[in-house]
């Protein structure tokens, strides 16, 4: 098998970013889309020029036409459809957040181990060259000892008719976008926090539309995160160390517009060139390397399990109004 034949499991909005990435990739082709109705699958396939359609997710999983599926369902459906896809013999790239409970994360990991198939969370920003630059700054010691990370991810909806506002679907700003700052902190700090403190403002549907969290890593190291559906699109991160700080204006999305600046403890700020690469290409190429070359995925399931654990602890803390130890 020299190519990976992809099937889209749903006609979700986010697919519009992943479809070009599959087509840009060296070893992937988009062969099918499944939707809950034939009509929707057909009109989607026509719009995106996809050769094969399925009128149910089950039908695509039962077919030999695809090797790997991209799961872009609402959050509460990720776990069950990932497991069903693995059991049907498909490799799986599942959207973030991977699952809403640790029990589900563990069931998904067990299914991948039992079937020997590739499973990864689709956290595209982790694969982008901007993050490789951050990794180099941290690894090379240019920032010194890191004491603080501050990250924000806010945006507003065009319409209130959105899966992100439905509590049973795993709605909420922390699950949706706050998880990026949580994952970024884990990447830079090298693991999950020891304890967290969370604060949430819920909206009329019962999900958090604003979340602020403080994550503690021992030795005075702290991360502050916030996420919101209440204010216009805004993202940023700053990583502060004993020898300087690194600031990014677009750490997670729209990275082609990102400005990355290193401020040393003395001297002029250094504007860092970020290599251009389509944001969603890395996660697709990484799946191909895992499926076709047997390489481990860059974003491991252990890392995924840890940021889900941290998000759950933040929600538990916000609900209880107390710190939660992991
Ligand atoms: N990595 C990223 O950059 C990124 C960005 C945005 C979203 N996401 C993630 O991608 C996932 C989808 O988000 P989205 O905004 O693209 O979602 P969306 O446009 O609302 O699409 C969700 C799709 O799921 C299917 N579906 C199955 N059961 C459903 C139900 N009960 N209610 C609604 N839809 C149902 C529908 O497809 P059919 O009608 O075809 O069956 C629908 O089109 C989420 O997990 C989100 O966190 C990731």
């Amino acid at each position: 098998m020299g190519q990976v034949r992809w099937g889209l499991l749903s006609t979700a909005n986010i697919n519009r970013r992943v479809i070009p990435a599959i087509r840009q990739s060296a070893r992937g082709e988009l062969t099918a889309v499944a939707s809950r109705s034939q009509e929707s699958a057909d009109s989607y396939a026509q719009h995106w020029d996809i050769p094969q359609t399925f009128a149910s997710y089950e039908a695509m999983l039962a077919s030999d036409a695809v090797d790997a599926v991209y799961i872009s369902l609402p959050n509460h459906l990720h776990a069950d459809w990932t497991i069903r896809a693995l059991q049907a013999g498909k490799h799986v790239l599942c959207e973030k957040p991977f699952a809403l409970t640790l029990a589900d994360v563990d069931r998904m990991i067990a299914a991948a181990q039992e079937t020997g198939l590739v499973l990864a969370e689709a956290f595209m920003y982790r694969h982008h060259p901007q993050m490789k630059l951050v990794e180099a700054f941290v690894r090379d010691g240019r920032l010194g000892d890191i004491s603080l990370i501050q990250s924000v991810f806010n945006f507003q909806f065009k319409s209130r008719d959105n899966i992100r506002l439905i509590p049973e679907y795993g709605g909420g700003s922390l699950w949706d976008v706050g998880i990026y700052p949580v994952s970024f902190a884990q990447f830079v700090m090298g693991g999950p926090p020891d304890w967290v403190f969370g604060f949430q403002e819920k909206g009329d549907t019962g999900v958090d539309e604003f979340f602020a969290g403080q994550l503690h890593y021992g030795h005075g190291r702290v991360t502050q995160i916030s996420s919101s559906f209440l204010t216009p699109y805004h993202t940023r991160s700053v990583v502060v160390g004993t020898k300087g700080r690194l600031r990014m204006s677009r750490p997670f999305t729209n990275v082609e517009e990102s400005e990355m600046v290193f401020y040393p403890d003395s001297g002029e700020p250094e504007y860092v060139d970020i290599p251009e690469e389509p944001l969603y290409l890395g996660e697709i190429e990484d799946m191909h390397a895992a499926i076709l070359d047997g390489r481990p995925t860059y974003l491991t399931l252990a890392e995924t399990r840890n940021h889900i654990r941290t998000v759950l602890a933040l929600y538990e803390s916000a609900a209880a109004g107390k710190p939660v130890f992991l």
Side-chain angles (χ1 to χ4, degrees):
M1 183 170 73
Q3 290 275 316
V4 175
R5 296 168 307 158
W6 284 93
L8 305 174
L9 205 140
S10 96
T11 59
N13 200 24
I14 184 57
N15 294 358
R16 74 194 192 287
R17 305 272 183 222
V18 173
I19 291 169
I22 294 172
R23 290 183 167 150
Q24 281 156 351
S25 72
R27 296 188 287 173
E29 56 181 308
L30 179 56
T31 50
V33 59
S35 186
R36 289 168 298 170
S37 78
Q38 188 67 57
E39 194 187 6
S40 143
D42 286 346
S43 69
Y44 195 82
Q46 192 177 17
H47 179 82
W48 288 100
D49 193 20
I50 302 170
Q52 199 161 348
T53 61
F54 294 95
S56 72
Y57 307 147
E58 290 90 339
M60 188 167 77
L61 296 185
S63 145
D64 289 334
V66 302
D67 308 306
V69 294
Y70 168 62
I71 296 188
S72 50
L73 295 168
N75 301 343
H76 68 304
L77 299 174
H78 289 178
D80 283 351
W81 282 103
T82 290
I83 292 166
R84 291 176 76 160
L86 289 165
Q87 287 172 345
K90 311 301 179 198
H91 304 283
V92 176
L93 179 65
C94 176
E95 261 308 336
K96 46 58 60 179
F98 199 57
L100 302 172
T101 66
L102 273 190
D104 276 350
V105 172
D106 290 339
R107 288 196 305 125
M108 294 157 87
I109 294 174
Q113 284 166 348
E114 279 156 24
T115 57
L117 294 161
V118 175
L119 170 63
E121 185 180 26
F123 235 142
M124 75 308 183
Y125 89 97
R126 284 280 282 104
H127 298 267
H128 192 266
Q130 179 169 234
M131 287 297 126
K132 309 286 161 64
L133 290 169
V134 174
E135 197 170 18
F137 266 97
V138 174
R139 190 188 53 229
D140 300 347
R142 293 185 71 196
L143 293 167
D145 295 329
I146 290 158
S147 57
L148 177 71
I149 303 170
Q150 291 173 314
S151 299
V152 174
F153 196 152
N154 302 341
F155 80 107
Q156 285 170 312
F157 308 120
K158 291 192 186 88
S159 144
R160 297 281 294 172
D161 176 20
N162 194 299
I163 55 170
R164 290 160 183 76
L165 291 172
I166 306 175
E168 313 84 74
Y169 283 22
S173 78
L174 178 61
W175 276 129
D176 189 46
V177 285
I179 195 166
Y180 285 86
V182 169
S183 144
F184 179 68
Q186 176 170 297
F187 167 55
V188 173
M189 292 296 197
D194 297 336
W195 63 274
V196 300
F197 190 81
F199 168 81
Q200 62 186 335
E201 283 285 345
K202 290 189 180 181
D204 56 0
T205 69
V207 305
D208 59 290
E209 298 201 35
F210 172 81
F211 201 99
Q214 193 144 301
L215 290 62
H216 293 258
Y217 297 82
H219 308 291
R221 294 179 304 149
V222 174
T223 289
Q224 293 167 328
I225 63 129
S226 67
S227 56
S228 176
F229 294 154
L230 302 174
T231 48
Y233 175 79
H234 174 60
T235 64
R236 69 181 151 80
S237 278
V238 60
V239 182
V240 182
T242 48
K243 293 186 183 169
R245 66 185 196 276
L246 187 64
R247 180 177 65 72
M248 276 154 285
S249 64
R250 297 278 187 271
F252 311 122
T253 51
N254 298 318
V255 290
E256 59 286 353
E257 295 165 21
S258 190
E259 185 182 77
M260 189 182 210
V261 190
F262 174 56
Y263 300 87
D265 62 350
S266 62
E268 291 298 305
E270 179 189 322
Y271 287 76
V272 183
D273 279 337
I274 302 170
E276 279 180 32
E277 182 177 296
L279 180 54
Y280 291 79
L281 183 59
E283 66 182 16
I284 297 296
E285 298 277 23
D286 191 58
M287 285 294 289
H288 295 168
I291 295 167
L292 299 172
D293 309 332
R295 292 199 7 211
T297 55
Y298 176 65
L299 181 69
T300 65
L301 293 172
E303 179 176 340
T304 286
R305 190 179 190 283
N306 274 334
H307 61 237
I308 298 291
R309 195 155 69 100
T310 306
V311 168
L312 289 165
L314 281 163
Y315 273 126
E316 187 186 332
S317 168
K322 289 192 241 176
V324 168
F325 287 77
L326 273 83

